[in-house]
Amino acid sequence: MAYRPFGTRFILGWVRQVRSGRKAAFLGGASAESTYPLPLAAGRERSSILLPMPLTLLRRAPETVAAAFVGAVLMVLDAGVVSRSRIGLAVVASGALALATAAGSMSAYRSGRQAMACALSVTAAAGSLLTTSLVDHTVLQRTPGWAELIGLLVLLCMACRYGRPLPLTVSAVPLFVAVARLADRAPALSDLPLLEGLDQLFTLLPVSFVLLGGYLRTEDSRRQATAERVRQSERLDLARDLHDHVAHYVTAMVVQAQAGEHTVGRDPAVARQLFSNIERTGQEGLVAMGQMVRLLREPGGPGASAPVTPALRAIEELVHRFPAHGQHAWLDKARDVDSSDWSPQLAKSVERLVQEGLTNIRKHARTATAVHVMLATDADRLIVRVRDNGTGPHRGRGRFRHSGFGIIGLSERVAELGGELTCGPMPEGGWELTASLPKT
C-alpha cells in the first residue's frame, strides 16, 4: 500500500464517512447524529428525506464551508511535501495554528473583543517567527507553509479592517514581519510554477492585504454613514408630517370643545360624551406626536407638507403604475380594510411599505411576471404584503447594487409604530415583504 501523508489520509477518511452517511440515509438507516431533516415549509408535512450533515452545513453557511475547504486543501498540500521530521511537523502545526487563530479572530472581532483578537494575532505571528527560525537553522522545506501564509494574511487584513488604533498597531506589525520572514524558509521562486522572475513576493503580499483591509475599512465606514443618513432622512420625513398631525388632533379637540360649550346646558349626556371624545383625541394626539418626536435628533422647524392623497388611492396608483412589459400587478384588499380610520402616520407607513416593496421588485426580481399587493386585517392589526413570483436567486440587475438602506428606513418607521417587518424568500418561490402594524 502506497504511503500517504497524514492530511491526505484524513480527507479520504472524511469522504468515506460522508459516502457512508449518504448510503445510510438513502436506505433509511441513518442515525440522528449524522443527518439532519430537510427544512420544512409552513403548512407542509415533515419529509422523510434526510440530509447528511456536511450538506446541511453547506446550505446554512456556504462561506464558512468554503473557507474550511480551502484551509483543508492547503493543509493537505503542506503535509504532502514537508519532510517526515520534527521540522516538517512544525511547519504543518504552524499552518494549523495560523488558520485556527484566523477563525478565532473573526469571531472575536464580530463580538467586539478587540483584545482577544489582538492576542490571537500576536500568537500566530510568534508561532510563525519561531517556526521560521527553526527551519532557517536546519533544513529548508519544499513549501514555505501555504496554509500559514494564508492564515497570516487573513489576520493582517482583518486587523486593518476591524482593529482599533492600538490593537491594530500591536497586531499588524508582528504579522507583517512574520509574513516577510517567510521568505527565509521558502524555496527559490524559480522552482515554483508561475512565480519565476517575481521578486519580493513576501513583501508585496502583506502590503497588498494591508491595502485591502484599509479599503474594506473605508467601505464599512461609508456604508455606516450612508445608513445613518437614511435613518436621519426617515426621521426628517416624519418631522415634516408633524405639523399636519398636530393640526389634525388639536382641531378635533377645539371643535368638540366648542360644541360641548353650547350643549352642556341643554343636553348634559351629549356634553359628557363630547368631553370624553376630547380626552381620547388628546391622548391619541400625544401618543402620535411622541412616536414622531422620538425620531427627531436635530432642532429645526419642518416646513408645511404637501397635500396628502388618501392612502388607498395612493396605493392603487402605485400598483397601477408599476407593471412593466410582461408583468402584471394587482391589489387585493380585504372587505374589513377601511383606511378612513387609519391614523396619518399609519397611512403614510402603509404607502411607504408598498412603494419600497414594488421598488425592490423592480430592482432585484428580474424574472418576476406577477406582483401581488395584499391588505388584510388580523384582529387589531393591519397586515401588508408585497410578493412576487421571481424564480432563481433574488438578485439585482447588474447596474443595481444591493444596499438594504430602504429596508433600514422602513424598519425604523414600522418599529416606532409598534409593528413588525420581515422580508425573505417564500417556500414556493419568489420574494415577500410583510409588515404587521397596529391599527390604533
Side-chain angles (χ1 to χ4, degrees):
M1 179 178 179
Y3 174 81
R4 292 191 179 96
F6 172 75
T8 304
R9 298 199 304 272
F10 175 83
I11 294 297
L12 291 176
W14 183 79
V15 171
R16 294 192 190 97
Q17 291 180 1
V18 171
R19 289 177 177 174
S20 63
R22 285 178 178 171
K23 184 176 181 180
F26 179 77
L27 295 176
S31 62
E33 291 78 14
S34 62
T35 58
Y36 291 111
L38 283 167
L40 300 177
R44 296 185 179 179
E45 297 182 356
R46 180 168 295 275
S47 174
S48 60
I49 301 176
L50 296 178
L51 189 66
M53 182 167 57
L55 296 183
T56 301
L57 293 176
L58 181 60
R59 289 169 59 93
R60 296 181 178 179
E63 297 86 359
T64 302
V65 173
F69 176 76
V70 172
V73 170
L74 293 174
M75 289 294 298
V76 170
L77 291 177
D78 287 340
V81 298
V82 297
S83 62
R84 291 357 181 226
S85 63
R86 294 181 179 179
I87 301 301
L89 181 61
V91 171
V92 175
S94 183
L97 175 64
L99 293 177
T101 52
S105 293
M106 174 59 73
S107 176
Y109 280 124
R110 287 178 175 175
S111 59
R113 296 177 293 174
Q114 294 273 332
M116 175 64 72
C118 179
L120 290 173
S121 299
V122 172
T123 300
S128 176
L129 291 171
L130 178 61
T131 304
T132 299
S133 178
L134 291 175
V135 174
D136 191 30
H137 289 83
T138 53
V139 179
L140 289 178
Q141 303 296 307
R142 288 181 290 176
T143 174
W146 298 116
E148 180 179 346
L149 174 63
I150 296 300
L152 294 175
L153 290 175
V154 170
L155 284 168
L156 182 59
C157 182
M158 287 193 297
C160 294
R161 181 179 184 180
Y162 300 115
R164 299 192 185 103
L166 181 59
L168 168 61
T169 304
V170 174
S171 302
V173 172
L175 288 171
F176 194 102
V177 173
V179 175
R181 285 291 310 277
L182 286 178
D184 296 339
R185 56 173 156 129
L189 292 179
S190 58
D191 298 335
L192 299 177
L194 304 179
L195 298 181
E196 184 177 359
L198 180 60
D199 297 325
Q200 305 300 326
L201 173 66
F202 292 96
T203 302
L204 294 175
L205 279 176
V207 171
S208 301
F209 274 76
V210 167
L211 295 176
L212 175 61
Y215 169 75
L216 295 175
R217 189 187 192 98
T218 303
E219 284 293 298
D220 291 341
S221 300
R222 183 190 64 80
R223 285 183 59 82
Q224 291 174 2
T226 304
E228 182 58 32
R229 286 197 299 271
V230 170
R231 295 188 183 97
Q232 187 66 15
S233 176
E234 283 294 329
R235 298 182 188 112
L236 295 179
D237 184 54
L238 288 174
R240 284 189 287 268
D241 296 335
L242 183 59
H243 175 269
D244 289 342
H245 296 163
V246 172
H248 170 78
Y249 289 108
V250 172
T251 300
M253 294 168 62
V254 170
V255 169
Q256 293 181 87
Q258 291 172 343
E261 181 181 1
H262 293 289
T263 58
V264 65
R266 298 194 307 268
D267 194 342
V270 174
R272 283 194 296 270
Q273 181 62 40
L274 289 173
F275 287 125
S276 176
N277 293 341
I278 292 173
E279 179 185 9
R280 185 180 69 255
T281 303
Q283 291 175 345
E284 292 175 353
L286 289 175
V287 171
M289 287 185 290
Q291 291 173 342
M292 297 173 62
V293 170
R294 280 196 297 271
L295 296 176
L296 304 180
R297 298 294 184 266
E298 296 179 0
S305 59
V308 178
T309 304
L312 284 179
R313 185 187 304 172
I315 293 172
E316 290 172 354
E317 292 176 357
L318 285 172
V319 176
H320 177 72
R321 294 195 306 263
F322 173 78
H325 179 69
Q327 287 183 326
H328 301 278
W330 67 94
L331 171 66
D332 276 350
K333 180 177 68 72
R335 293 182 178 179
D336 54 350
V337 174
D338 183 9
S339 62
S340 61
D341 59 355
W342 293 356
S343 64
Q345 60 268 36
L346 176 60
K348 185 68 178 292
S349 297
V350 173
E351 181 181 348
R352 284 282 292 112
L353 282 163
V354 175
Q355 182 183 43
E356 182 65 20
L358 295 176
T359 300
N360 284 338
I361 292 173
R362 180 167 289 158
K363 292 171 63 177
H364 304 301
R366 295 177 294 181
T367 59
T369 58
V371 178
H372 195 183
V373 179
M374 290 170 284
L375 300 178
T377 59
D378 183 9
D380 60 343
R381 301 183 76 85
L382 176 67
I383 309 299
V384 183
R385 287 189 174 91
V386 182
R387 58 174 58 173
D388 64 78
N389 66 342
T391 57
H394 199 82
R395 297 178 181 174
R397 303 174 192 270
R399 63 178 182 274
F400 291 113
R401 180 180 178 182
H402 177 73
S403 64
F405 297 139
I407 298 298
I408 292 175
L410 281 182
S411 299
E412 185 160 354
R413 179 187 286 269
V414 170
E416 284 299 319
L417 294 177
E420 300 174 352
L421 178 69
T422 59
C423 61
M426 296 184 294
E428 64 272 20
W431 197 267
E432 182 179 67
L433 173 70
T434 303
S436 173
L437 301 167
K439 292 189 290 186
T440 57

